[in-house]
Amino acid sequence: MRKFAVALALTASACSYQSPTQPAASAAATAANEPFSLTLGSSVGSGTTADHATITAKVQGPTGQPLGGVVVTFSTTVGALNPEQAATDSNGIGSTTLVASTAATVTAKAGALSARTGVGTQPAAQPPPTPTPTPAPGPNPGATPTGPLTVTLTAADVIVGSTTILNASIKDGVPPFQVTWTFGDGASFTGSSSSSAHLYAAAGTYPASVSVTDAAGRRADANATINVLAAAPAPAPAPQVPAYTITLTAIPSTVVVNTTGVTLSANVNQQFGAPPATSFTWDCGNGATFTTATATQACPGPYPTIGSATAKVTATGGSVTGSGTTTVTVTLPPVPDITVNCTLQAAPPANTISCNISATLSGKAVVDTDITSVDWHWGDSTPTTTTHTNVAPPHTYSAAGIFLVVANNVVVTGTTAKGSNSTSISVH
């Protein structure tokens, strides 16, 4: 595999574990053939090799010992890997090279284990038109430490089953760095990243450490306690207290203002051992109130305010009470729709017309006998005629002409609203 002498970008590592409780033929077979942990790391080039990254996978047994000869299969979301399979060496490490012009996610599989990591590859920088040859540099030529190498290790508490992110804060170091992580559960990993991701198999407290060696050969160590918390217990169920749930209905649910009332009915659902309700207190929503022993109550009218009235019932049984409400809609009275019919009489006297009206109320025809009052305006100088049926007496005009006949203040049984309409008639 081709190696690149480049400044390494810091990327996260990832690791995966096989549960130690899985059945095995023997302890020796588990140590020799079955990977217990798989830790994945990456280092990315820069400049003209920013599209290259070295991906390393370390395979360890149950006691943290490296496992050699384990085949690791690599795959990537973008770019190409070479090789796509690699056997681990005596240090338990298998590696491959990723070439990709954009960020990629690389997945490694070893036996039943799998781990993935994000790799920040990007397009490689173009070389200068006329590069000046320079001698091959050392680890970091000309770099002079400005102070003692120090490192601080931090990690946030997590719930078991969540990945722990460990961060090493390196100060006054000469890059590139060699970073060795020990996770406190028997797993370890060596790479160049200043952060690592690790999944602990069980809740507990783990003594993690990190060792950093810089290009000047200096070393610094740091320790941290990793707290992996047990999942919170499920919340206790709510106590079951005897109660009522009440559905209240009004029939009818819509009334005309200042007319009829409604009948309220309460459907009481007893919950958690509540006794039957024995008393009902009613508020009709129009000022009327009652207390009864039954679940039905007639509320007399009228409902005096147009809009919505809220009716309420409170049911009581022993120490248990519950209430329910419903809305009574209060509307304007319907206005009758009036039709005026006038015809010119053929028989004498001349210029005489006969008129009647018909009506509908809320879309239904009104019986003629339910029309109880009409004011007739004839369109001439004669006084208004009032009738108490839908038929007007014949009216004679003094001269020919076109007249507007108006039926006004029409009273119809079933509503307090009055109707009106008109028609034009030619008298000749």
Side-chain angles (χ1 to χ4, degrees), residues 120-412:
T121 47
Q122 56 186 323
Q126 296 298 319
T130 54
T132 302
T134 58
N140 199 345
T144 302
T146 60
L149 173 65
T150 61
V151 60
T152 302
L153 178 60
T154 58
D157 295 348
V158 297
I159 302 297
V160 64
S162 301
T163 300
T164 299
I165 304 298
L166 298 89
N167 294 290
S169 176
I170 304 171
K171 184 178 180 182
D172 294 329
V174 179
F177 304 106
Q178 177 178 288
V179 184
T180 299
W181 304 88
T182 301
F183 300 109
D185 61 351
S188 62
F189 176 72
T190 298
S192 60
S193 173
S194 65
S195 65
S196 183
H198 190 73
L199 183 64
Y200 290 92
T205 301
Y206 298 89
S209 64
V210 65
S211 179
V212 177
T213 302
D214 71 358
R218 300 179 301 164
R219 173 177 166 174
D221 301 318
N223 302 301
T225 298
I226 308 300
N227 295 313
V228 180
L229 309 177
Q240 295 184 341
V241 178
Y244 297 137
T245 57
I246 300 177
T247 302
L248 182 63
T249 57
I251 299 175
S253 59
T254 299
V255 296
V256 174
V257 64
N258 290 320
T259 57
T260 59
V262 300
T263 298
L264 300 178
S265 297
N267 181 15
V268 181
N269 182 15
Q270 300 164 229
Q271 295 186 336
F272 310 126
T278 56
S279 176
F280 297 85
T281 300
W282 306 89
D283 181 348
C284 294
N286 62 352
T289 59
F290 304 91
T291 299
T292 67
T294 60
T296 302
Q297 176 62 42
C299 291
Y303 282 82
T305 304
I306 295 170
S308 296
T310 300
K312 180 178 179 180
V313 64
T314 299
T316 303
S319 62
V320 181
T321 62
S323 62
T325 61
T326 191
T327 298
V328 178
T329 302
V330 184
T331 65
L332 286 168
V335 177
D337 186 17
I338 305 301
T339 302
V340 180
N341 308 293
C342 292
T343 59
L344 183 64
Q345 291 186 176
N351 301 332
T352 298
I353 63 172
S354 296
C355 296
N356 65 75
I357 64 170
S358 58
T360 60
L361 185 63
S362 300
K364 296 181 179 180
V366 174
V367 178
D368 289 345
T369 55
D370 285 341
I371 301 173
T372 60
S373 182
V374 183
D375 290 340
W376 297 93
H377 304 274
W378 303 108
D380 57 7
S381 58
T382 58
T384 300
T385 302
T386 299
T387 63
H388 296 288
T389 67
N390 69 314
V391 179
H395 181 76
T396 301
Y397 292 94
S398 60
I402 297 176
F403 300 92
L404 180 66
V405 178
V406 179
N408 199 13
N409 295 325
V410 178
V411 177
V412 174

